[in-house]
Amino acid sequence: NQDRRLAAMLADAAGVALENATLYQAERERSCALTGLLQEANHRIRNSLQTVAGLLEMELDEKDVDATEALRRSIDRIHTIGAVHGLLTRENYRSIEMKESARRIADIVRHSAAVPASQIAIAVSGARVMLESQKATSLSLALNELIQNALYHGFKNGGKGTISIDFTRSPQQVAVSYT
């Protein structure tokens, strides 16, 4: 009888030890995954800061640009990078849905535009295009430039109009149409 109780106690202790080992291993794997995500986030932030520095250097190289305008464009670019990072944290942290990014960029640029942007519509349409972080940031910055140029130069004297951005994709490539 005592042997049975002792065996049952040992079995219970062994079960608890196995469960603890399993929980420990799962927590270790979770910790490694979180460490990897943190390293990836730091890498992306570092790349984005380098991109911002490069954009600011580009502004310095332009001799005929008003300082206020250069700062406003740079701020829009920084907000664009921030929008991409915001989508990364909201989405699956690996890729960005570009139509949503284009909509956010349009809002950012329209908000800071020196022209009455309320009379200018920005339509985003087309295929669902998912891009990894670095490509999404590059395309988002290009879209930022296109929208800025249209608002600052195409609609500089006022007027109504529409800026259209359309995404298409094939197995090998993604195309963006801008009119």
Side-chain angles (χ1 to χ4, degrees):
N1 208 10
Q2 270 186 327
D3 289 343
R4 269 187 258 180
R5 276 190 275 163
L6 181 60
M9 286 175 40
L10 288 173
D12 287 343
V16 168
L18 285 173
E19 187 174 333
N20 284 343
T22 302
L23 290 172
Y24 174 77
Q25 184 62 29
E27 192 58 35
R28 241 180 113 179
E29 290 171 5
R30 183 175 171 265
S31 176
C32 287
L34 288 174
T35 299
L37 287 174
L38 184 58
Q39 288 173 344
E40 178 68 19
N42 285 334
H43 177 73
R44 288 179 183 181
I45 290 167
R46 195 171 44 252
N47 284 347
S48 293
L49 289 172
Q50 288 173 339
T51 300
V52 168
L55 292 169
L56 291 172
E57 287 172 356
M58 264 182 16
E59 290 295 337
L60 282 175
D61 290 342
E62 290 188 36
K63 303 297 183 212
D64 298 333
V65 176
D66 175 50
T68 302
E69 181 183 337
L71 277 174
R72 184 166 314 284
R73 290 190 324 200
S74 294
I75 289 167
D76 285 349
R77 291 174 183 137
I78 293 166
H79 283 301
T80 293
I81 293 169
V84 170
H85 280 280
L87 288 171
L88 275 171
T89 58
R90 197 183 83 193
E91 299 285 329
N92 65 10
Y93 204 76
R94 297 272 181 233
S95 58
I96 302 293
E97 203 281 314
M98 289 310 301
K99 285 193 302 187
E100 178 64 23
S101 180
R103 287 184 189 101
R104 286 188 181 206
I105 294 162
D107 289 343
I108 290 166
V109 177
R110 283 172 47 117
H111 179 71
S112 70
V115 296
S118 61
Q119 297 184 16
I120 301 163
I122 301 176
V124 180
S125 62
R128 184 170 194 255
V129 173
M130 302 295 291
L131 293 179
E132 60 93 22
S133 169
Q134 194 168 10
K135 290 178 183 177
T137 300
S138 296
L139 179 55
S140 294
L141 286 168
L143 290 171
N144 178 72
E145 294 297 315
L146 290 169
I147 296 168
Q148 275 182 353
N149 287 341
L151 291 177
Y152 291 126
H153 303 293
F155 296 100
K156 192 173 191 172
N157 297 324
K160 295 181 180 182
T162 301
I163 298 170
S164 298
I165 301 168
D166 185 63
F167 292 89
T168 56
R169 81 168 325 165
S170 69
Q172 287 81 23
Q173 66 182 2
V174 170
V176 181
S177 301
Y178 173 83
T179 56

